């Protein structure tokens, strides 16, 4: 009886449209993921990642450090891809979705849906972290939410540049970081290449994020995801930090949005031109394998 009730509930409530399933999967994945930094420029991620930043900042380093934030973000990415991967591919990043469009792996008509879901998931994730740490935020700030300065807390949710970073260098930073991410993702999921063992792809993608974090975090905390940065930034503008979140760092906000999109395309084109384009066609590959077998048989017979 209980099994039949569950079956009836599934038939009534289960979504039939694939695009709606993918939309919800991207929302959930990005909710778990996302990525913020501290003002000294090294961190990222929402529910797990952003939460690990909040714990580090609000405890004044007593319950966290850069390494714990890197681990939090890495774990967040891995779990996000595990959650959404089987439904939508687990992009959780507009730059990755754009790269898939460029390579013909994602229909262009789905791209706006994916991006909207990713931004919504990022915004909701910011709400969750804010609610989770509300009392700690009020205690830390005495109710004054600052974007810059010693007691700044906007950096929990979005990226801000280091003092040494110029606009051009920041843009290059985001192009290179996101390009590296997309290159690695394409290699990991490429079945014609070595690829990764089935089911291990999210873990290895997470380790890729860890590698980027520990090697490219100095300048601005490796945002490399427009949704993870702009979604939480919009939340902080509404939640009490004000429009300074867009003015800070010389109007820095657009760089972690545009830079990763450019980097995603660059990474996709590089992988296609240098690797994917040169994979043998399936029929040709089979012919080459047959030739090898024939040669082996001739050697063994002789």
């Amino acid at each position: 009886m209980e099994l039949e009730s569950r079956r009836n509930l599934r038939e009534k409530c289960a979504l039939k449209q694939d695009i709606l399933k993918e939309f919800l999967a991207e929302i959930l994945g990005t909710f778990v993921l996302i990525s913020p930094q501290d003002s000294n420029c090294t961190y990222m991620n929402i529910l797990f990642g952003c939460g690990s930043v909040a714990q580090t900042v609000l405890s004044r380093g007593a319950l966290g450090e850069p390494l714990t934030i890197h681990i939090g973000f890495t774990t967040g990415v891995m779990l996000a891809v595990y959650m959404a991967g089987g439904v939508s591919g687990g992009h959780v990043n507009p730059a990755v979705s754009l790269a898939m469009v460029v390579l013909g792996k994602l229909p262009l008509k789905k791209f706006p849906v994916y991006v909207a879901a990713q931004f919504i998931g990022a915004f909701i994730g910011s709400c969750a972290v804010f609610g989770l740490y509300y009392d700690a935020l009020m205690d830390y700030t005495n109710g004054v939410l600052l974007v810059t300065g010693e007691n700044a807390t906007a950096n929990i949710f979005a990226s801000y540049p280091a003092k040494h970073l110029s606009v051009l260098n920041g843009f290059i930073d985001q192009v290179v970081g996101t390009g590296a991410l997309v290159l690695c993702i394409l290699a990991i999921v490429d079945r014609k290449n070595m690829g990764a063992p089935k089911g291990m792809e999210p873990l290895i993608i997470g380790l890729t994020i860890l590698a980027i974090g520990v090697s490219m975090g100095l300048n601005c905390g490796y945002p490399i995801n427009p949704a993870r940065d702009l979604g939480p930034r919009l939340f902080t503008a509404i939640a009490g930090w004000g429009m300074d979140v867009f003015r800070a760092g010389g109007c820095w906000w657009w760089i972690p949005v545009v830079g990763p999109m450019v980097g995603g395309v660059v990474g996709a084109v590089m992988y296609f031109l240098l690797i994917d384009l040169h994979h043998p066609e399936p029929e040709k590959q089979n012919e080459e394998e047959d030739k090898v077998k024939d040669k082996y048989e001739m050697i063994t017979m002789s």
Side-chain angles (χ1 to χ4, degrees):
M1 189 70 179
E2 185 179 346
L3 184 62
E4 187 177 343
S5 299
R6 286 184 182 178
R7 191 175 295 146
N8 291 336
L9 182 64
R10 181 183 291 274
E11 288 175 0
K12 290 179 182 177
C13 299
L15 294 172
K16 303 297 188 292
Q17 299 272 343
D18 286 343
I19 191 64
L20 293 178
K21 297 175 188 177
E22 293 163 5
F23 181 77
L24 294 179
E26 287 294 307
I27 287 178
L28 182 60
T30 316
F31 168 80
V32 170
L33 160 71
I34 290 332
S35 353
Q37 290 73 309
D38 86 333
S39 57
N40 291 331
C41 58
T42 3
Y43 326 118
M44 338 181 9
N45 204 198
I46 278 188
L47 200 53
F48 292 118
C50 196
S52 65
V53 179
Q55 181 167 288
T56 300
V57 172
L58 299 178
S59 69
R60 299 185 187 276
L63 296 176
E65 58 179 328
L67 182 59
T68 63
I69 295 170
H70 294 321
I71 293 171
F73 183 50
T74 297
T75 307
V77 172
M78 179 183 71
L79 294 176
V81 179
Y82 269 120
M83 283 183 187
V87 181
S88 66
H91 297 178
V92 297
N93 184 338
V96 174
S97 296
L98 181 59
M100 296 304 172
V101 170
V102 169
L103 295 175
K105 298 177 184 294
L106 179 71
L108 181 60
K109 64 182 180 181
K110 288 188 176 183
F111 178 67
V113 178
Y114 272 56
V115 172
Q118 290 153 4
F119 275 96
I120 291 170
F123 191 90
I124 296 172
S126 303
C127 296
V129 172
F130 183 77
L132 180 66
Y133 283 109
Y134 179 80
D135 287 344
L137 268 168
M138 293 302 106
D139 180 65
Y140 182 89
T141 63
N142 292 319
V144 181
L145 302 176
L146 299 175
V147 177
T148 59
E150 188 178 344
N151 287 329
T153 47
N155 46 45
I156 290 172
F157 297 90
S159 71
Y160 294 89
K163 291 180 180 178
H164 68 264
L165 192 64
S166 66
V167 170
L168 178 60
N169 197 181
F171 188 81
I172 292 170
D173 176 281
Q174 288 305 285
V175 171
V176 171
T178 313
L181 173 65
V182 168
L183 275 170
C184 292
I185 288 174
L186 292 173
I188 291 165
V189 302
D190 187 355
R191 295 300 173 197
K192 294 179 182 177
N193 204 330
M194 289 183 68
K198 188 171 176 59
M200 294 291 288
E201 298 94 339
L203 173 61
I204 301 173
I205 290 170
L207 292 175
T208 302
I209 296 294
L210 180 61
I212 292 171
V214 299
S215 62
M216 304 183 196
L218 174 64
N219 286 330
C220 55
Y222 62 108
I224 59 174
N225 184 335
R228 91 99 190 104
D229 199 85
L230 187 57
R233 198 181 298 274
L234 285 169
F235 170 78
T236 53
I238 295 167
W241 282 267
M243 296 305 291
D244 280 348
V245 299
F246 293 101
R247 291 189 285 263
C251 295
W252 161 262
W253 70 270
W254 67 272
I255 293 175
V257 176
V258 178
M261 299 301 277
V262 174
V265 173
V266 170
V269 171
M270 284 181 64
Y271 192 84
F272 176 75
L273 292 177
L274 300 178
I275 302 293
D276 193 46
L277 186 62
H278 309 292
H279 286 320
E281 294 296 324
E283 292 181 6
K284 190 174 180 181
Q285 193 171 10
N286 290 336
E287 288 176 8
E288 290 176 358
E289 288 176 358
D290 290 340
K291 287 180 182 178
V292 171
K293 285 181 182 178
D294 291 342
K295 287 180 182 178
Y296 177 74
E297 288 173 0
M298 289 172 65
I299 291 168
T300 52
M301 286 176 65
S302 62

